[in-house]
Amino acid sequence: MKALTYHGSKDVRVDTVPDPVLQDADDILLRVTATAICGSDLHLFRGKIPELHKGDILGHEFMGIVEDVGSDVTNVRKGDRVVIPFVIACGDCFHCRLAEFSACETTNTGTGAALNSKGMRPPAALFGFSHLYGGVPGGQAEYVRVPKGNVGPIVVPDALPDEQVLFLSDILPTGYQAVLNARVTRGSTVAIFGAGPVGLMAAACAKMLGAERIFMIDRYQYRLDFAVATYGVIPINFEDTDDPAEEIISQTNGRGVDATIDAVGFEAKGSKADTIATQLKLEGSSGAALRQCIAATRRAGTVSVPGVYAGFIHAFMFGDAFDKGLRFEMGQTNVQKYMPELLEHIGEGRLQPDVIISHRMALADAAKGYEIFDGKEDACRKVVLTP
């Protein structure tokens, strides 16, 4: 089959690789009908994630048709059209029973990314996201073996086309969990740092839940313009405003917003000092976006972090966070928990996640899709690939 594989920093290729086969009794074999390039895939593309090996198949946002099932699979059957969550969870361990699927204790054969784990079990395996998270082949391919076929794959109605439901696999639940973690309710004020796919999904969910004012901060004007037109956000361009947090405070009666959402993560563009510190390995992640979130959030407010981080952060303003009494919510998404209710929101027309798609390409052109998305070329917001 054809699949998008990693060969080094900014070197991905569509190669011919062996077809996947069922290995365990609860596996399913999926024929992929749609897959997408996620913002976090760009961390991999740029060579920023350890334990990514030459030939690894990328991609964790995908859906398709069930071609075969293992003998223990009961929740789906051959011919079902399903969306696959990017988190692989067993459904029966301590964390899964608490609906904390991203913390599943049994599926990840890797170590996870924690530097000071003290022997704690790693978090759940993830599709296409390095051997830290199991080295499981991803979904930017013609076919995928899906482990734990009874826990997560959700059957979607034929009335909803692929593009409407594809993002149930990651960015829509990730944006939704970020907004729930931020405790956004009717009348809330929220600032979202990052107008990429997750930031846009967070804006859509915040609007759906009744947020009164949504600030959105980004470096790219075309992304802000889209967010203004689609979600009615208040835009702040990092290139035009030296201190977005100060601007937000000035527009909120000197108080700050109820919550901030960091949808940027560890590659946030910061000061020259941030860049040097990262290059010298004095910090594992840029703290630029987090410092802005802490500054822009009102006292007793919430900082919600769906953006990916790794390692340690220089100049993390923990004293400021303590002084303000902030709460932090963060981590990988418990996708399986939110898929059913989000599918209902889509079906009822309350969410239209497909509006963010800007580029539709064949899987054969996936390498070019990565280049366009990474370079922010041609006003690219989101790339969907069709095998």
Side-chain angles (χ1 to χ4, degrees), residues 148-201:
K148 306 302 176 187
N150 289 320
V151 186
I154 186 171
V155 177
V156 292
D158 291 339
L160 296 174
D162 282 8
E163 289 187 355
Q164 282 188 261
V165 295
L166 172 60
F167 300 149
L168 287 169
S169 56
D170 177 5
I171 59 170
L172 182 56
T174 297
Y176 188 55
Q177 178 176 287
V179 169
L180 294 180
N181 283 347
R183 306 189 182 191
V184 172
T185 58
R186 187 161 303 280
S188 293
T189 56
V190 60
I192 301 170
F193 286 79
V198 169
L200 293 175
M201 291 296 93

Side-chain angles (χ1 to χ4, degrees), residues 207-337:
K207 182 179 179 182
M208 179 182 72
L209 293 178
E212 183 177 306
R213 302 176 78 192
I214 305 170
F215 295 89
M216 181 156 269
I217 303 90
D218 199 82
R219 294 173 53 207
Y220 298 97
Q221 191 60 45
Y222 79 87
R223 302 204 304 190
L224 291 171
D225 290 343
F226 175 83
V228 170
T230 309
Y231 307 117
V233 305
I234 302 166
I236 299 176
N237 192 319
F238 242 130
E239 298 296 320
D240 300 331
T241 303
D242 290 336
D243 192 341
E246 186 173 56
E247 177 69 19
I248 290 167
I249 290 169
S250 73
Q251 294 191 45
T252 53
N253 196 29
R255 183 173 293 120
V257 287
D258 297 320
T260 52
I261 294 173
D262 176 0
V264 181
F266 76 93
E267 288 195 81
K269 183 180 178 181
S271 66
K272 189 173 294 186
D274 279 307
T275 302
I276 293 171
T278 302
Q279 291 172 344
L280 294 178
K281 308 300 183 184
L282 298 176
E283 66 177 12
S285 301
S286 167
L290 272 179
R291 287 194 294 273
Q292 281 285 311
C293 286
I294 290 169
T297 307
R298 68 165 173 83
R299 294 185 181 279
T302 302
V303 177
S304 174
V305 187
V308 174
Y309 279 89
F312 43 92
I313 298 174
H314 178 69
F316 180 66
M317 308 293 283
F318 195 77
D320 285 20
F322 179 85
D323 179 77
K324 297 174 76 172
L326 303 183
R327 68 180 64 87
F328 287 81
E329 297 272 3
M330 65 192 80
Q332 294 285 6
T333 309
N334 300 312
V335 186
Q336 288 89 334
K337 179 178 180 179

Side-chain angles (χ1 to χ4, degrees), residues 4-6 36 38 40-45 49-53 55-62 85-88 124-140 144-145 147 370:
L4 191 282
T5 60
Y6 179 82
C38 182
S40 58
D41 284 329
L42 296 182
H43 301 318
L44 301 166
F45 177 66
I49 302 295
E51 294 299 322
L52 189 59
H53 300 170
D56 282 350
I57 299 172
L58 304 185
H60 57 268
E61 291 184 308
F62 60 98
F86 79 93
V87 169
I88 303 169
L126 310 176
F127 285 101
F129 213 79
S130 91
H131 292 260
L132 292 175
Y133 296 98
V136 182
Q140 290 166 2
V144 183
R145 179 183 76 91
Y370 268 83

Side-chain angles (χ1 to χ4, degrees), residues 359-377:
H359 290 68
R360 297 163 174 87
M361 306 175 73
L363 176 65
D365 299 321
K368 182 62 177 176
Y370 268 83
E371 292 174 8
I372 292 171
F373 193 26
D374 183 54
K376 309 297 184 291
E377 299 172 17

